Amino acid sequence: AVSGQAVGPGDFVEIAYQGWHANDDGSKGDGFISSEESGAPARLLLGAGMVNEGLDRGLAGMKPGGRRQVVVPPELGYGKRGKDGVRPNATLIYEVELLTVYQVERETLREGSGDPLAAKQRATFHYTGWLDVGDGAKGDQFHDSRDLSAPITAMLGAFKLQPGMELALLGMRRGELCRVNVPSELAFGSRGWHRGPRTLVPPDTDVI
């Protein structure tokens, strides 16, 4: 069933997809990509350039459970050069199913100022992390970036950070302090976080 809010730039989603080259009559030609063949659905941040511009635009407005066909002209796809099995100057046809929209629970503890952070912007920040021991209660602290020689700097949307951290930072303003509850699948997942023989975050553990 299709339900929930329509997605747009700044939303972190999981999709199943398949892509074909378009024939001259607009029908599907040879396939060039499939999430089933790759072994897993794709996670991506809309508006961050993680897929071609045409597909990024074409996903806007979908709701979880929805399916859509997106036709991407070459100027919004991979242009004259092509890419990763895509022929030059190719019009592309995608069939996409929106599986999940990932979110984190964020509480503002101190207001910031200025424009909110968006994808493709660089953020410099500090964070302190605790284990979530249930119902959002703080357990052991596992990290404090103030113990490092400098703050953390990252380009949002490049996903060099955990997805939960990316989602926490999107929309924040300079000087803002917030508390974010992050489910394990958007944090350290089934592997957890280990430093040598020490386990800092056990597998499948939510964090704050």
Side-chain angles (χ1 to χ4, degrees), residues 104-110 127-128 130-139 164 167-169 172 176-182 207-208:
V104 294
E105 180 183 335
R106 183 168 66 191
E107 176 187 2
T108 298
L109 304 178
R110 183 181 68 224
Y127 86 94
T128 308
W130 295 268
L131 304 182
D132 185 335
V133 293
D135 295 326
K138 293 177 181 176
L167 294 175
L169 289 165
M172 289 189 70
E176 182 177 341
L177 176 66
C178 68
R179 171 180 167 142
V180 187
N181 294 61
V182 182
V207 297
I208 299 169

Side-chain angles (χ1 to χ4, degrees), residues 98-183:
L98 179 57
L99 302 175
T100 307
V101 181
Y102 291 102
Q103 297 177 324
V104 294
E105 180 183 335
R106 183 168 66 191
E107 176 187 2
T108 298
L109 304 178
R110 183 181 68 224
E111 296 287 347
S113 61
D115 294 331
L117 278 169
K120 300 183 181 180
Q121 290 185 320
R122 189 174 300 279
T124 300
F125 63 96
H126 277 298
Y127 86 94
T128 308
W130 295 268
L131 304 182
D132 185 335
V133 293
D135 295 326
K138 293 177 181 176
D140 292 338
Q141 180 179 307
F142 63 85
H143 188 65
D144 189 336
S145 64
R146 290 170 182 81
D147 295 336
L148 305 175
S149 59
I152 299 168
T153 297
M155 183 73 72
L156 297 187
F159 277 79
K160 302 297 184 182
L161 305 170
Q162 296 166 13
M165 185 68 77
E166 292 263 1
L167 294 175
L169 289 165
L170 284 166
M172 289 189 70
R173 302 172 189 269
R174 184 187 300 272
E176 182 177 341
L177 176 66
C178 68
R179 171 180 167 142
V180 187
N181 294 61
V182 182

